[in-house]
Amino acid sequence: MTEGENRPARVAANAIAGGHFRYYDFVMAAFVAIILLSNVLGAGKFAQVWLPVWNVYWPFGAGILFFPISYVIGDVLTEVYGYARARRVIWVGTVAVLFMAFMSWVVVKLPPAADWKNQPAYEAIFGQVPRIVFASVCAFWAGEFVNSYVLARMKLWTGGKMLWTRTIGSTIFGEGVDSLIFYPLAFLPIPFLGWEGWPVSLVIQVLFTQWALKVAWEVILTPVTYVVVGFLKRREGVDVFDTDTDFTPFATRV
């Protein structure tokens, strides 16, 4: 490989609109897989961890183990391929989550065979509460777009330097929007709709705890982000800057 091939070219996003990338599809697939897993595996279980300093068990949603990885992948997408391509992936993820939620509802509602005794367990795991699904989709969609937008803007402000500032900074805002939308929508009591929900104090506590843990994940995974971003930029041969990008989220064009 020549020296020129090792050095990614700094280009505007609209300058490579028709370009073909070797790894873009793989990154998209990883992003969608994480989103679907977080809604299937993570959303259905609350776990706990022992905190010896405080001598207590601390409960947490199991999705915290891997859902923040979607924001890391979102950072990689925007940093390497630009906002427009990240936007397309976010829309793919949104449609995939909606389809999964719909098919989960359909399959749960199918009448079980007379000799199949696992319907209650199946409903407990895969039964979708419409309010939770709606909150999850809204929070994911808004949070991911805020994350991508902030990173793309910060990349211009920093001239492509100090990657850690924009990966962590974008996650602070993106996960903040995600948490501010999801937990109130999903769990606050709404008396006129007959939704009891959680106590307001608990919603606030969980909101800030989950946000802090998700941002902490981003910080911990920063060295991994550097490795992945560096690899992709070298292999794809580009370093995209969104100088003339239309930042509307309501499009899928590149």
Side-chain angles (χ1 to χ4, degrees):
M1 182 176 288
T2 66
E3 181 181 355
E5 292 174 324
N6 276 313
R7 183 180 302 141
R10 290 178 52 150
V11 296
N14 59 359
I16 54 168
H20 174 72
F21 296 107
R22 288 180 287 182
Y23 297 97
Y24 174 72
D25 293 343
F26 294 111
V27 181
M28 177 190 293
F31 180 86
V32 174
I34 292 295
I35 292 302
L36 294 178
L37 285 172
S38 66
N39 279 273
V40 173
L41 296 178
K45 181 173 182 177
F46 278 87
Q48 61 182 9
V49 61
W50 174 253
L51 300 178
V53 175
W54 294 276
N55 197 34
V56 295
Y57 282 100
W58 188 266
F60 64 94
I64 194 68
L65 295 177
F66 51 87
F67 174 70
I69 298 175
S70 69
Y71 277 80
V72 176
I73 299 175
D75 290 342
V76 170
L77 280 164
T78 306
E79 175 68 25
V80 177
Y81 302 103
Y83 176 88
R85 283 181 172 79
R87 174 176 57 198
R88 173 170 289 195
V89 173
I90 294 169
W91 275 111
V92 171
T94 301
V95 173
V97 170
L98 288 172
F99 179 74
M100 181 206 67
F102 173 72
M103 291 309 303
S104 296
W105 177 80
V106 170
V107 173
V108 167
K109 292 298 182 181
L110 287 174
D115 59 347
W116 193 68
K117 308 302 181 183
N118 297 320
Q119 181 67 15
Y122 200 86
E123 290 178 358
I125 300 299
F126 294 103
Q128 298 288 325
V129 179
R131 181 183 180 185
I132 303 297
V133 172
F134 176 72
S136 176
V137 172
C138 291
F140 157 73
W141 184 86
E144 286 290 350
F145 271 116
V146 168
N147 181 75
S148 185
Y149 175 81
V150 171
L151 189 141
R153 286 298 194 185
M154 288 187 68
K155 185 173 184 179
L156 296 177
W157 299 340
T158 60
K161 301 176 182 178
M162 298 183 295
L163 173 62
W164 65 272
T165 62
R166 53 189 178 272
T167 58
I168 297 174
S170 63
T171 299
I172 289 173
F173 286 97
E175 291 284 14
V177 169
D178 185 294
S179 298
L180 284 170
I181 292 175
F182 176 72
Y183 292 102
L185 269 183
F187 301 114
L188 274 181
I190 305 179
F192 70 88
L193 292 178
W195 296 346
E196 295 183 2
W198 295 356
V200 175
S201 59
L202 179 59
V203 172
I204 295 174
Q205 178 187 1
V206 173
L207 188 159
F208 279 102
T209 299
Q210 296 291 93
W211 172 76
L213 289 173
K214 292 171 182 177
V215 173
W217 254 122
E218 178 71 52
V219 175
I220 292 170
L221 292 174
T222 295
V224 177
T225 305
Y226 266 83
V227 172
V228 174
V229 166
F231 169 81
L232 289 174
K233 285 183 178 180
R234 289 192 301 271
R235 296 304 299 269
E236 304 287 24
V238 294
D239 188 6
V240 176
F241 284 75
D242 287 289
T243 52
D244 300 310
T245 299
D246 179 2
F247 284 100
T248 176
F250 301 104
T252 57
R253 65 184 181 279
V254 174

